[in-house]
Amino acid sequence: MLMPPDYHMHTPLCRHAVGEPTDYARRAVERGFTEIGFSDHAPMPRDNFDNWRMRADQLDDYVARVEAARRAFPQLTIRLALEVDYLPGQETWIRELAARHPWDYFIGSVHYVSDTWAVDDPQQLGRWKTHDPFEVWTMYFERLTQAAASGLFNIIGHADLPKKFGHRPPRDCTPLYEKFLAAAKRHGCAIELNTAGLRKDCREIYPSETLLRLAFEHGVPITFGSDAHAPEELGLNFAEAIQLARRVGYTRCLRFAGRRAETVLLN
Ligand code: ZN
Ligand code: FE
Ligand code: FE
Ligand code: ZN
């Protein structure tokens, strides 16, 4: 089976992933991929913002490591990208990052629902005790909508990340999803099917089938990502993700080169 590109993987520069880009590339070739993309956690304007991303002065090193993987595996198409945190007010910084290297795509991710709370951070799990899930979903999707509308990103990452630890609002979130998806459609943003959710407490691909069905109805295109933080995780559960995409109606996904999209048929 011809696999769609795996567009979400990390490198040791983010301080919580293992394996060099060449190791991921080797794994990709073994697994029958013809295209992958690196999208490590982008630096913040301040290096001490948190401790799970590369520093700004490591950006050139990151690009060099991806280029080394390209040289080692010329038969594999390797895209150069970043997973960029969207925080309101950082638009100028993100534009500066975009101008620094010939990126193929930017994944815009919301991890921070406030200036200090990353919803997927296990060390901040305690914060859920004082927050109602619907309130968190609302903050999260407000930011995700802003991220999509910023025009800074080609793909929106793990579009329902707050479910990671199994918290889910008992209320209908359709209005939150619709607002986000309308913005994504309007600004030409894709969303990714991120299989890392299957490895977390929520045991479900990001986003949920409910959100993905709405995305298809809104005409929002998709990409695929394993969010690998180790070479063994590359391409994990892609068969399941493709099945989910097909079930809701998708017959194609996107690939990116030089920040421009091209359509690929799903096998
Ligand atoms: Zn990470
Ligand atoms: Fe992420
Ligand atoms: Fe990631
Ligand atoms: Zn991610």
Side-chain angles (χ1 to χ4, degrees):
M1 170 194 229
L2 188 66
M3 287 293 187
D6 186 341
Y7 270 178
H8 196 148
M9 56 194 68
H10 293 272
T11 81
L13 289 170
C14 71
R15 293 172 270 180
H16 62 280
V18 295
E20 285 301 315
T22 47
D23 302 319
Y24 287 82
R26 186 175 305 111
R27 192 67 175 195
V29 171
E30 283 167 11
R31 292 231 167 130
F33 282 82
T34 55
E35 181 168 335
I36 59 170
F38 287 92
S39 51
D40 207 2
H41 297 288
M44 288 279 190
R46 260 193 312 117
D47 283 329
N48 62 355
F49 185 87
D50 59 25
N51 61 359
W52 47 273
R53 65 190 63 253
M54 69 182 86
R55 300 187 311 263
D57 68 358
Q58 291 177 308
L59 210 53
D60 290 348
D61 186 13
Y62 172 59
V63 174
R65 293 186 198 200
V66 173
E67 281 169 351
R70 282 176 172 161
R71 283 194 301 276
F73 295 92
Q75 70 274 45
L76 181 67
T77 299
I78 302 181
R79 301 299 182 194
L80 176 67
L82 286 171
E83 178 180 16
V84 183
D85 274 77
Y86 177 76
L87 281 97
Q90 289 196 355
E91 289 82 356
T92 305
W93 168 249
I94 298 166
R95 263 183 218 106
E96 272 174 45
L97 283 176
R100 285 215 210 160
H101 290 282
W103 310 108
D104 289 308
Y105 57 91
F106 267 11
I107 298 180
S109 288
V110 171
H111 303 102
Y112 285 91
V113 293
S114 73
D115 282 349
T116 55
W117 185 15
V119 272
D120 61 330
D121 184 354
Q123 297 186 19
Q124 299 190 65
L125 247 174
R127 298 228 197 182
W128 284 96
K129 293 199 188 93
T130 51
H131 290 272
D132 167 67
F134 188 73
E135 180 197 338
V136 181
W137 251 248
T138 303
M139 297 194 287
Y140 175 83
F141 275 96
E142 220 151 85
R143 286 194 171 196
L144 210 63
T145 304
Q146 280 178 269
S150 72
L152 296 166
F153 308 115
N154 306 100
I155 304 164
I156 293 294
H158 41 61
D160 58 358
L161 183 67
K163 75 181 176 191
K164 177 179 175 179
F165 301 114
H167 305 90
R168 290 165 206 269
R171 289 172 58 178
D172 179 21
C173 292
T174 305
L176 302 178
Y177 300 163
E178 300 236 308
K179 217 172 137 209
F180 158 61
L181 292 166
K185 177 63 186 170
R186 197 165 341 108
H187 296 272
C189 228
I191 60 169
E192 64 165 4
L193 271 79
N194 181 318
T195 60
L198 291 166
R199 314 193 289 272
K200 313 295 182 200
D201 295 343
C202 61
R203 301 266 164 224
E204 186 181 274
I205 289 171
Y206 305 111
S208 66
E209 184 161 340
T210 306
L211 200 162
L212 195 66
R213 274 188 195 283
L214 288 171
F216 179 72
E217 285 167 19
H218 281 75
V220 174
I222 53 167
T223 61
F224 293 82
S226 63
D227 213 338
H229 285 69
E232 308 79 66
E233 294 174 347
L234 185 142
L236 267 191
N237 301 108
F238 264 37
E240 206 168 317
I242 295 163
Q243 221 175 50
L244 170 63
R246 289 199 152 284
R247 188 158 68 236
V248 309
Y250 284 99
T251 53
R252 48 202 76 212
C253 67
L254 294 185
R255 63 197 291 236
F256 286 91
R259 305 209 64 176
R260 301 181 73 92
E262 199 182 290
T263 300
V264 194
L265 275 178
L266 275 182
N267 262 24

